[in-house]
Structure formats: structure tokens, C-alpha cells
Amino acid sequence: MGAGGDLDGLGGAGGVRRVTLSGRRILVTSGPTRAPLDAVRFLTNKSTGRLGALIAEAAVQAGADVVFVYGRGSDTPAVRGGQRDHLRLLPVDTVSDLITVFKRELPTGYDAVVHAMAVLDFAPAEVREEKTNSDLSEWVVRLTPTPKAARLVKTLAPKTYFVGFKLEVGKGRDDLLEIARAWAVKNGAELVVANDLRDIERGTHIGYLVGTNGGVVGVAEGKEAIARALISHLSRRFAEARP
């Protein structure tokens, strides 16, 4: 890394190019959300937040000021020394917490939002205030849809570059790309990182960087490589947009 917060990136015919996000404000969401069932229990998902943490690390190393919104208990970025001054951590629990952060933070102006958080799609319709007795023979829980936090991003920050993530299970490549394209259009995202849980469980975590037209603008394998590819993509886009 150079003194200016640049990273070396692979260029095209020109060879190595500088990857920099110097002076950029990036908001990264990561990890799981929770939905309480009673006073001590909650629903959540399998997300560890590792990929989101790696993306935030790479963004800070490239010179960005990063706000990292993460599900409590999940991985956080490992940054050292003066780089800590360029990272702010905001833990959240529920989808409602995330929406509150979006409403507070996004209007302040971000160059990009990288929404890697695994947000629960459903939550219990009723939450018991007390601890549910374990002697019950049955506990029926009715789930209802949660608000779609991703749809707020462009409403609150219409000029920000929005990167979403789409995880599917057992989908072929073409189906995965079409699902990612449709998600991008529905939520106003400029880019979606699409991956499949079956690949991840096999140890071959492949991330497709998909544009709004369904075209693949990048492919990377492994969390570290996906993080680097995404930061390189953002660096290129901001460089192209510079007057």
C-alpha cells in the first residue's frame, strides 16, 4: 500500500494500475440480523460477516472512510494504526435497527453503499416479553415479512453507487445471474454480487459481479478475492466518473 492509501490492482493491457478510494465515503453492511422470539431467544441466519469485514478492510486500505454497520457478534474489520481513524463501527440487531441507521446516515452523503448484510426476510409476528417455558409441548410461531431495507437506499441517497448482494441456494449460473439482475432493477442497485450457498459449502465461493443488464463485469473465487474485485471495481467507476 502506498502512502496515499492506494493498492496495487491488476490492469488490462496496461498492466498494474493503482486502486484508490482516497477521499471516498463508503457504508458497508455486514453479518446477520436478528428477530426476537421472547426475552432470551431470537431467529437469525448463518452469516458470519467475514466477507463484509474483508470488503471494509480493503476499502480502508484503499483510502476510504468507512462506516461499517454489522450484525452484533459477527466479524469486524481488522485495521491497524492510523487506519482506525478511517473506520467507524455501528452494531445493529434487528432489521428495524438497520433501517434507523440508514435513515440517519445515508442523507449525510456516501459515495457508495455496499449492502452485504444478510437481512432476515421474515420475523415473528408476536414477541413474548417473558422467557417461554421449556415444558411447553408445542410453540407455534407465525412469521411475517420484514420491511425491505434495501429499497430505502436509493430513496435516501439517490446519487450513491449502490452495490447489493444476492445469495441463492442450488441455482445454475444463468438463473443466478438473472435473479441478480432482477434484484438490481427492483432495488435501484448499480451492481449485485451474486453467489450460491452450495458453492460456498463446497469450498468454492464464487462471486459474480452483475450489472443491471445482467452482464457479468467480474468473477472472483474466495472471499478475499471477491473483496478485492469489488474494491477494484469501485475504484474504476469513480475514476471514470471524475470530470
Side-chain angles (χ1 to χ4, degrees):
M1 186 174 73
D6 293 349
L7 299 172
D8 289 334
L10 297 178
V16 175
R17 68 167 175 272
R18 305 301 290 178
V19 175
T20 180
L21 294 176
S22 182
R24 300 293 181 175
R25 297 186 73 214
I26 312 292
L27 186 144
V28 179
T29 72
S30 180
T33 56
R34 300 174 177 178
L37 286 161
D38 65 8
V40 298
R41 301 177 178 90
F42 56 82
L43 297 178
T44 189
N45 55 53
K46 293 181 177 181
S47 175
T48 65
R50 181 59 180 156
L51 178 55
L54 289 169
I55 292 167
E57 288 174 22
V60 170
Q61 290 166 7
D65 289 313
V66 175
V67 170
F68 186 72
V69 184
Y70 67 101
R72 200 179 302 275
S74 61
D75 287 0
T76 55
V79 298
R80 299 175 180 176
Q83 290 183 346
R84 292 194 184 99
D85 296 334
H86 299 277
L87 176 67
R88 179 157 57 100
L89 303 180
L90 296 177
V92 298
D93 288 307
T94 66
V95 178
S96 178
D97 294 341
L98 174 63
I99 289 173
T100 297
V101 169
F102 275 177
K103 289 181 177 179
R104 184 181 70 237
E105 289 290 331
L106 294 184
T108 67
Y110 283 87
D111 295 288
V113 171
V114 179
H115 187 34
M117 179 172 274
V119 179
L120 288 176
D121 293 314
F122 295 90
E126 297 181 1
V127 179
R128 298 186 176 189
E129 294 184 2
E130 73 285 353
K131 178 183 176 182
T132 303
N133 194 314
S134 60
D135 291 333
L136 285 178
S137 61
E138 185 179 65
W139 181 7
V140 177
V141 176
R142 183 170 65 90
L143 302 179
T144 57
T146 58
K148 298 300 184 183
R151 294 181 187 173
L152 291 175
V153 173
K154 280 297 193 176
T155 299
L156 295 168
K159 294 183 179 180
T160 197
Y161 190 88
F162 182 25
V163 180
F165 280 67
K166 190 62 179 172
L167 176 68
E168 289 293 331
V169 181
K171 299 294 184 184
R173 181 182 182 275
D174 290 346
D175 287 342
L176 184 61
L177 299 186
E178 174 55 27
I179 291 168
R181 184 202 65 78
W183 192 96
V185 172
K186 180 187 297 183
N187 294 282
E190 281 78 15
L191 188 76
V192 175
V193 179
N195 41 196
D196 191 279
L197 183 62
R198 294 289 179 255
D199 290 335
I200 297 171
E201 291 176 337
R202 285 192 292 264
T204 55
H205 188 168
I206 301 172
Y208 299 95
L209 277 62
V210 183
T212 53
N213 63 355
V216 177
V217 300
V219 181
E221 182 174 340
K223 288 180 171 60
E224 291 85 357
I226 294 169
R228 290 195 302 270
L230 179 55
I231 295 306
S232 294
H233 175 83
L234 290 176
S235 176
R236 285 195 305 272
R237 290 305 302 262
F238 292 146
E240 292 168 358
R242 190 174 295 136

